Amino acid sequence: MNIVPETSSRVFNFSSGPAALPLPVLERARDELLELPGCGASIMEISHRSEAFSRILESAQAGIRQLLDLPENYEVLFLQGGARLQFAMIPMNLLAADSHAEFIVSGSWSEKARDEAAGLGTVRTCWTGLDGAFCQLPDPAELELDETASYAYLTSNETIQGVQFDEFPATGNLPLICDASSDLLSRPLDCQQFGLIYACAQKNVGPAGVTVVIIRKDLLERSRAELPGYLNYAEHARHGSRYNTPPTFAIYILDLVCQWIANEMGGLAGIDQLNREKAELLYDLLDEPSGFYQGHAKTSCRSRMNVTFRLPNPDLESQFIQSAAEQGLTSLAGHRSVGGIRASIYNAMPIEGVVALRDFMADFRDKQMEAT
Ligand SMILES: *Cc1c(COP(=O)(O)O)cnc(C)c1O
């Protein structure tokens, strides 16, 4: 499989999002950009109600369903507004006025989601990792969740801090809501654990502009008719994600990404295996005894998507980022709120890119340690 096109100055791009897309997907989109086969027009120029786009929408929904082995009682919606709009839509649709939402706050994204929900209803923080600078996660078995709540909420992978849940709390009748923006389709997942699971596409699933919302059908009954139309899940479900014009180009790319995972990467089991190997390459280096690199996350909750670490001081971190970029390893700066280094190694990052980063890191460390 191609990793780098023949005449190319494409870099190994470690951007956290929008992030690298699989090269075969970009090449196919390039080849079809002017004329979608059989259409005589670009995907961007045809009606969202045309037969050609209907096929793409259906294929994208089927792609998500097949990869995740979704049962019939879940609806797959393609919405706009990114993950951020879901921070508001979830409480607007699912949080009863006389009840509250339980939040597991494991990093910046769950914190923001909780704060948004707090403006729309009552929330309770049932666990927070704030004291440890969000380097750890709760043991799912030890969480004390109030089952009278409307739902419990967590973030499966905290993109900024680099902590990722492997197992989720069993919540019984309490619907569990999951922001999987940065790890949906990176590993097999039993979606039946969740009442609603969602992901903005621009990390692992496609380009910015579309958000995948997977919702258990019985929860659609909670959406009140008084909600503004666009903010009502039931309305989107009733219209098959065509309540208004959906982001057609983004859905087209998402469909190609699903096909790439299914046909070229061995499905979610195959991509998971590869993602584990990639992450291990970097974590093994962080664990080596010199201590030059300090990983942020506790070992037990390390993210396989976003590897976060520090160097001995911020000056060295700037040097690291700059000299990596000179070698074609780009976008390694940590989120502006936390600093440090973050290597985002989503599905589309080939293992060759991770090996190149690992080798660069070893080399950079050796040179610095010789100098001191
Ligand atoms: C990127 C990200 C978001 C924010 O996504 P937007 O589409 O920019 O709103 C929310 N949650 C997680 C886990 C993310 O990685």
Side-chain angles (χ1 to χ4, degrees), residues 102-172:
E102 295 271 282
F103 273 82
I104 298 165
V105 177
S106 54
S108 303
W109 287 118
S110 43
E111 193 172 46
K112 288 186 169 77
R114 179 204 55 197
D115 293 348
E116 183 88 334
L120 296 159
T122 310
V123 301
R124 185 179 87 105
T125 303
C126 57
W127 188 88
T128 175
L130 182 62
D131 286 350
F134 297 126
C135 70
Q136 58 191 323
L137 294 172
D139 173 353
E142 281 173 12
L143 281 170
E144 286 180 17
L145 297 168
D146 177 352
E147 293 192 9
T148 68
S150 289
Y151 58 84
Y153 182 105
L154 57 74
T155 302
S156 55
N157 181 64
E158 287 284 358
T159 321
I160 293 175
Q161 282 81 15
V163 292
Q164 184 176 29
F165 279 95
D166 263 330
E167 280 172 35
F168 299 94
T171 56

Side-chain angles (χ1 to χ4, degrees), residues 81-85 87 109 155 157 159 179 181-182 200 202-203:
R84 283 277 190 155
L85 186 58
F87 292 0
W109 287 118
T155 302
N157 181 64
T159 321
D179 175 359
S181 288
S182 48
C200 55
Q202 68 270 20
K203 319 291 168 72

Side-chain angles (χ1 to χ4, degrees), residues 295-311:
H296 176 73
K298 285 206 167 162
T299 313
S300 60
C301 41
R302 285 170 161 174
S303 168
R304 295 187 286 280
M305 297 283 101
N306 311 96
V307 179
T308 51
F309 57 94
R310 294 196 164 278
L311 274 65

Side-chain angles (χ1 to χ4, degrees), residues 15-36:
S15 171
S16 60
L21 281 162
L23 186 61
V25 167
L26 293 176
E27 288 176 333
R28 166 105 178 252
R30 175 198 60 197
D31 293 346
E32 296 182 349
L33 192 68
L34 300 186
E35 276 184 52
L36 194 65

Side-chain angles (χ1 to χ4, degrees), residues 23-308:
L23 186 61
V25 167
L26 293 176
E27 288 176 333
R28 166 105 178 252
R30 175 198 60 197
D31 293 346
E32 296 182 349
L33 192 68
L34 300 186
E35 276 184 52
L36 194 65
C39 272
S42 171
I43 172 68
M44 288 181 278
E45 301 172 307
I46 60 172
S47 165
H48 59 295
R49 304 201 184 277
S50 64
E51 211 181 292
F53 181 72
S54 299
R55 275 200 301 274
I56 289 170
L57 184 67
E58 280 159 25
S59 168
Q61 277 166 339
I64 298 270
R65 281 191 173 283
Q66 278 159 18
L67 286 169
L68 289 167
D69 200 12
L70 269 189
E72 273 307 308
N73 64 327
Y74 284 80
E75 196 80 55
V76 177
L77 306 175
F78 295 126
L79 307 184
Q80 302 191 56
R84 283 277 190 155
L85 186 58
Q86 296 311 305
F87 292 0
M89 275 180 78
I90 290 161
M92 289 173 101
N93 284 265
L94 303 180
L95 180 48
D98 58 356
S99 180
H100 75 281
E102 295 271 282
F103 273 82
I104 298 165
V105 177
S106 54
S108 303
W109 287 118
S110 43
E111 193 172 46
K112 288 186 169 77
R114 179 204 55 197
D115 293 348
E116 183 88 334
L120 296 159
T122 310
V123 301
R124 185 179 87 105
T125 303
C126 57
W127 188 88
T128 175
L130 182 62
D131 286 350
F134 297 126
C135 70
Q136 58 191 323
L137 294 172
D139 173 353
E142 281 173 12
L143 281 170
E144 286 180 17
L145 297 168
D146 177 352
E147 293 192 9
T148 68
S150 289
Y151 58 84
Y153 182 105
L154 57 74
T155 302
S156 55
N157 181 64
E158 287 284 358
T159 321
I160 293 175
Q161 282 81 15
V163 292
Q164 184 176 29
F165 279 95
D166 263 330
E167 280 172 35
F168 299 94
T171 56
N173 288 330
L174 180 65
L176 184 59
I177 312 291
C178 177
D179 175 359
S181 288
S182 48
D183 67 356
L184 191 73
L185 304 190
S186 72
R187 56 177 172 176
L189 192 64
D190 175 10
C191 290
Q192 295 191 67
Q193 302 173 90
F194 306 109
L196 184 155
I197 178 164
Y198 71 98
C200 55
Q202 68 270 20
K203 319 291 168 72
N204 250 325
V205 190
V210 63
T211 299
V212 183
V213 175
I214 299 167
I215 182 168
R216 213 174 59 211
K217 286 180 181 165
D218 62 283
L219 291 175
L220 294 170
E221 288 160 23
R222 293 197 193 179
S223 299
R224 288 169 297 111
E226 308 83 76
L227 285 171
Y230 194 87
L231 303 181
N232 186 323
Y233 289 130
E235 205 67 62
H236 287 288
R238 203 170 300 130
H239 290 88
S241 290
R242 278 182 291 199
Y243 170 71
N244 68 334
T245 313
T248 50
F249 182 75
I251 293 170
Y252 160 78
I253 299 286
L254 179 146
D255 179 37
L256 295 182
V257 170
C258 289
Q259 292 178 35
W260 172 77
I261 296 172
N263 302 332
E264 295 187 46
M265 304 309 287
L268 296 186
I271 204 101
D272 181 40
Q273 179 59 35
L274 186 61
N275 286 333
R276 284 171 189 274
E277 288 170 29
K278 283 152 54 183
E280 208 172 288
L281 286 169
L282 297 182
Y283 286 120
D284 280 353
L285 188 73
L286 299 188
D287 285 340
E288 55 86 34
S290 84
F292 182 76
Y293 295 109
Q294 291 289 327
H296 176 73
K298 285 206 167 162
T299 313
S300 60
C301 41
R302 285 170 161 174
S303 168
R304 295 187 286 280
M305 297 283 101
N306 311 96
V307 179
T308 51

